[in-house]
């Protein structure tokens, strides 16, 4: 009975709205007519879009305006057959003739001149109409709330969830999550690159490419011929990538130019454990695709963010130890799973949303899942962050793109000089050895750079599970000053 009553009320509202749309009815403004037709359409179960309009002869003053069903008309097969699209859109056009047309005499009032009620398609259910495009709109007040929450560090998803709860359901919010993401993305759109700056930058790329055969650059423009993205690298960067490109660090958290473009240095580690640049990109968004790579998240950032989700467990040392073991110190996937289960069971965390999310990302953040992949010891994006900070010091928010690229070239040249200096040091000197006369280390000192040798030596010493004491005389001079004493389990 209650359901029937609700249907009767809905039908009653539709009839009232319909009576206001009858031919000959007066409307005060175009906006009033549009909103009235939208309200009628949403109660009926269809969406509205603005259609054709006509002006009085020899003027820009409107004489008539149409509002149509959003899927009226048919797909233009002749136009679409000229090219094959990678992404095939759904067919939504039904050639429905439903519409509202309002007209007026010169200087007269707006009146309904045509109202077509009939539809040739199924209507949306009542619980779906809030998803219709013409039913969705982010009001100024809700935009302000959304922006304030995101600027305070709250994710768009979490902000929308909060606003849905405040509105007593997503159907009452007035917009969808996609609308919220689109709005926040639009706010981050870069400012139009000045013509002189873009011209100077492209001229520099062209001149450099003419001088250096292997210099590569590429610029992408948007529909308004604005610079959206650009990337460049010289021949030396290509060689460095060939030699050291097994591990690539990218940090896109900084926007260090006046156009609000994302600065993305592509950073690696060379044979001296120094930063090396593979190229530089400026992007209008963070969409990057590396289809054949194994992607890892930055453990440092995760651990910095983790305490905000731990609540009362922040003061529990045993829990913290389990967390760090879970992230970094499990040597196998089985040990990882056992640690996870122990942590969850011990602290009753089965329903912890953030931890469950981290578990789903375990292959991208926990070292237990990447032990078989070379990472050069890199667990964080600190290499890229340090690079960004160097670039930030060399430039400021008012630097043009051309100035930024010039400063980047100076920094890169400085890094390459440091690499030459270290190359010279390695050619004319050998590292001091902890383990004297060890055949493996003797060979390592010949083939490794000093920095890499020191890392290798420490790894070897740790693998021996030993400590160094004064040598007893029975070992003779061949052992020099070293005695190896195996530690007991108690000493570990």
């Amino acid at each position: 009975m209650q359901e029937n009553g609700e249907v009767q009320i809905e039908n009653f509202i539709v009839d009232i709205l319909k009576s206001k749309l009858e031919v000959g009815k007066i409307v005060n403004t175009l906006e009033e007519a549009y909103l009235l037709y939208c309200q009628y359409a949403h109660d009926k179960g269809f969406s509205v879009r603005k259609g054709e309009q006509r002006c009085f002869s020899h003027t820009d003053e409107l004489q008539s305006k149409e509002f149509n069903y959003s899927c009226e008309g048919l797909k233009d097969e002749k136009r679409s057959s000229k090219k094959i699209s990678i992404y095939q859109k759904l067919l939504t056009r039904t050639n429905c003739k439903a519409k509202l047309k309002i007209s007026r005499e010169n200087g007269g009032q707006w009146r309904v001149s045509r109202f077509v009620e009939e539809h040739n398609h199924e209507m949306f259910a009542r619980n779906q109409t809030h998803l219709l495009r013409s039913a969705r709109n982010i009001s100024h007040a809700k935009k302000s709330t959304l922006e304030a929450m995101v600027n305070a560090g709250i994710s768009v998803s979490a902000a929308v969830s909060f606003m849905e709860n405040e509105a007593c359901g997503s159907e009452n919010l007035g917009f969808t999550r996609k609308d919220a993401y689109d709005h926040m993305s639009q706010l981050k759109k870069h400012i139009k690159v000045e013509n002189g700056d873009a011209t100077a930058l492209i001229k520099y790329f062209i001149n450099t490419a003419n001088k250096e055969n292997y210099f590569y650059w590429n610029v992408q423009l948007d529909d308004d011929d604005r610079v959206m993205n650009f990337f460049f690298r010289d021949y030396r960067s290509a060689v460095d990538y060939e030699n050291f490109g097994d591990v690539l660090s990218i940090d896109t958290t900084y926007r260090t130019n006046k156009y609000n473009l994302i600065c993305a240095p592509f950073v690696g580690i060379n044979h001296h454990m120094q930063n090396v640049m593979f190229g530089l990109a400026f992007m209008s968004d963070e969409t990057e695709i590396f289809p054949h790579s194994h992607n890892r998240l930055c453990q440092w950032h995760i651990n910095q963010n983790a305490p905000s989700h731990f609540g009362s467990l922040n003061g529990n040392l045993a829990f913290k130890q389990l967390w760090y073991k879970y992230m970094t110190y499990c040597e196998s996937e089985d040990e990882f799973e056992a640690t996870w289960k122990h942590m969850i069971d011990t602290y009753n965390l089965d329903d912890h949303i953030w931890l469950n999310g981290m578990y789903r990302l375990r292959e991208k953040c926990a070292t237990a899942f990447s032990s078989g992949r070379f990472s050069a010891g890199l667990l964080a994006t600190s290499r890229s962050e340090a690079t960004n900070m160097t670039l930030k010091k060399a430039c400021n928010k008012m630097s043009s793109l051309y100035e930024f690229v010039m400063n980047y070239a100076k920094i890169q040249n400085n890094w390459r000089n440091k690499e030459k200096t270290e190359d010279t040091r390695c050619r004319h000197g050998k590292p001091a050895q902890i383990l004297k006369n060890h055949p493996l280390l003797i060979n390592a000192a010949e083939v490794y750079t000093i920095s890499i040798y020191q890392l290798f030596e420490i790894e070897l010493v740790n693998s021996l599970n030993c400590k160094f004491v004064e040598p007893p005389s029975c070992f003779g001079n061949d052992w020099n000053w070293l005695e190896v004493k195996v530690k007991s389990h108690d000493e570990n």
Side-chain angles (χ1 to χ4, degrees):
M1 293 295 293
Q2 183 179 358
E3 184 177 345
N4 291 334
E6 291 177 355
V7 172
Q8 289 177 354
I9 293 174
E10 291 172 4
N11 291 336
F12 178 70
I13 294 174
V14 170
D15 289 339
I16 293 177
L17 293 171
K18 177 182 173 181
S19 67
K20 295 180 179 181
L21 298 172
E22 293 176 353
V23 174
K25 290 289 185 177
I26 295 175
V27 290
N28 296 318
T29 63
L30 288 173
E31 186 65 18
E32 178 185 316
Y34 175 70
L35 293 176
L36 187 62
Y37 191 48
C38 281
Q39 189 177 356
Y40 165 80
H42 302 157
D43 286 337
K44 286 283 288 184
F46 67 95
S47 187
V48 174
R49 66 179 174 86
K50 297 177 181 178
E52 293 182 354
Q53 61 185 35
R54 290 186 179 181
C55 297
F56 291 107
S57 299
H58 309 297
T59 71
D60 293 330
E61 189 177 359
L62 283 178
Q63 180 184 18
S64 66
K65 179 74 176 180
E66 290 184 358
F67 303 108
N68 304 320
Y69 168 53
S70 61
C71 295
E72 65 90 28
L74 293 172
K75 181 181 178 182
D76 189 346
E77 296 293 345
K78 292 182 179 179
R79 184 177 180 182
S80 61
S81 62
K82 293 180 181 180
K83 60 181 181 179
I84 300 175
S85 176
I86 296 176
Y87 172 71
Q88 297 292 334
K89 294 183 177 180
L90 295 176
L91 296 177
T92 58
R93 300 281 180 168
T94 66
N95 202 26
C96 179
K97 303 298 184 182
K99 69 174 59 181
L100 174 72
K101 182 178 181 180
I102 59 171
S103 307
R104 64 173 176 172
E105 299 296 332
N106 198 351
Q109 291 180 301
W110 288 104
R111 294 177 182 271
V112 177
S113 58
R114 191 177 182 193
F115 177 43
V116 180
E117 299 179 57
E118 294 76 20
H119 291 262
N120 64 356
H121 56 88
E122 185 179 355
M123 298 294 182
F124 283 82
R126 181 65 182 170
N127 61 359
Q128 298 174 328
T129 54
H130 66 284
L131 300 174
L132 296 173
R133 186 66 193 90
S134 58
R136 292 163 18 217
N137 177 59
I138 309 180
S139 67
H140 178 73
K142 290 177 179 177
K143 284 180 181 178
S144 298
T145 301
L146 178 64
E147 292 166 16
M149 295 180 73
V150 173
N151 290 335
I154 300 172
S155 68
V156 175
S157 179
V160 173
S161 294
F162 171 81
M163 296 174 74
E164 287 175 345
N165 290 334
E166 290 291 298
C168 299
S170 59
E171 66 277 9
N172 301 317
L173 184 58
F175 60 91
T176 64
R177 289 174 183 260
K178 183 180 183 302
D179 297 331
Y181 277 105
D182 288 345
H183 173 68
M184 295 309 301
S185 177
Q186 190 65 30
L187 289 180
K188 295 180 180 179
K189 287 287 187 182
H190 63 278
I191 304 169
K192 184 177 180 180
V193 177
E194 296 170 3
N195 289 333
D197 190 9
T199 301
L201 183 65
I202 293 174
K203 184 177 180 180
Y204 166 76
F205 288 155
I206 293 174
N207 289 338
T208 306
N210 288 333
K211 296 175 183 177
E212 302 177 19
N213 291 333
Y214 296 98
F215 182 85
Y216 175 83
W217 66 278
N218 197 0
V219 173
Q220 290 182 333
L221 306 177
D222 64 11
D223 294 336
D224 298 320
D225 291 331
R226 295 181 303 181
V227 174
M228 284 180 60
N229 311 298
F230 74 83
F231 170 82
F232 71 98
R233 60 110 180 106
D234 60 9
Y235 174 69
R236 173 65 182 277
S237 293
V239 173
D240 285 339
Y241 182 73
E242 185 69 25
N243 291 326
F244 311 119
D246 293 316
V247 178
L248 177 64
S249 177
I250 307 174
D251 175 60
T252 57
T253 57
Y254 294 104
R255 296 170 184 257
T256 52
N257 63 96
K258 66 180 181 179
Y259 305 117
N260 203 34
L261 290 168
I262 299 167
C263 176
F266 293 80
V267 181
I269 304 172
N270 69 8
H271 52 311
H272 301 299
M273 296 302 292
Q274 298 170 327
N275 275 8
V276 60
M277 199 86 76
F278 300 140
L280 181 69
F282 272 95
M283 306 178 294
S284 56
D285 60 60
E286 298 184 42
T287 304
E288 290 183 71
I289 300 176
F290 295 89
H292 304 298
S293 63
H294 173 68
N295 298 318
R296 288 186 52 79
L297 300 175
C298 175
Q299 280 197 359
W300 184 87
H301 279 112
I302 293 172
N303 287 328
Q304 285 292 107
N305 183 45
S308 65
H309 301 279
F310 288 162
S312 60
L313 289 172
N314 276 311
N316 191 313
L317 181 60
F319 169 78
K320 287 289 191 69
Q321 289 175 337
L322 280 175
W323 164 255
Y324 288 119
K325 181 180 180 182
Y326 161 85
M327 285 292 293
T328 310
Y329 299 110
C330 290
E331 296 184 359
S332 67
E333 294 182 24
D334 289 340
E335 185 181 3
F336 171 89
E337 295 294 345
T339 302
W340 167 263
K341 187 176 187 307
H342 178 58
M343 182 175 69
I344 296 300
D345 292 346
T346 302
Y347 299 99
N348 194 25
L349 297 171
D350 294 275
D351 298 325
H352 197 290
I353 296 175
W354 187 80
L355 283 174
N356 285 328
M358 292 308 303
Y359 180 76
R360 288 192 293 271
L361 294 171
R362 59 192 180 278
E363 294 184 5
K364 293 185 182 231
C365 62
T367 55
F369 292 88
S370 59
S371 58
R373 294 184 174 91
F374 177 69
S375 66
L378 195 64
L379 299 178
T381 56
S382 54
R383 293 275 175 171
S384 293
E385 289 176 4
T387 304
N388 261 323
M389 291 305 295
T390 303
L391 292 169
K392 197 171 184 179
K393 290 177 182 178
C395 306
N396 57 56
K397 279 287 187 180
M398 297 311 296
S399 298
S400 67
L401 292 178
Y402 178 77
E403 291 170 336
F404 199 101
V405 170
M406 294 300 100
N407 285 325
Y408 164 85
K410 292 178 182 178
I411 293 169
Q412 191 173 48
N413 187 58
N414 183 43
W415 286 4
R416 288 172 178 172
N417 286 334
K418 289 181 179 179
E419 182 179 326
K420 288 180 182 178
T421 300
E422 193 65 16
D423 282 341
T424 302
R425 191 167 79 97
C426 290
R427 287 194 189 98
H428 298 283
K430 293 184 179 180
Q433 297 178 345
I434 297 176
L435 298 177
K436 301 295 183 179
N437 299 324
H438 191 293
L440 185 59
L441 290 181
I442 291 174
N443 181 254
E446 294 289 336
V447 297
Y448 288 156
T449 63
I450 295 173
S451 298
I452 299 299
Y453 170 82
Q454 290 170 342
L455 291 175
F456 176 79
E457 187 177 52
I458 291 172
E459 192 74 19
L460 177 64
V461 169
N462 289 336
S463 69
L464 293 174
N465 199 19
C466 65
K467 70 177 183 179
F468 310 116
V469 297
E470 286 295 323
S473 58
C474 62
F475 280 96
N477 293 329
D478 290 340
W479 284 79
N480 289 331
W481 53 271
L482 174 69
E483 175 195 358
V484 177
K485 179 181 179 181
V486 179
K487 293 183 178 180
S488 67
H489 291 293
D490 294 336
E491 291 176 314
N492 280 326

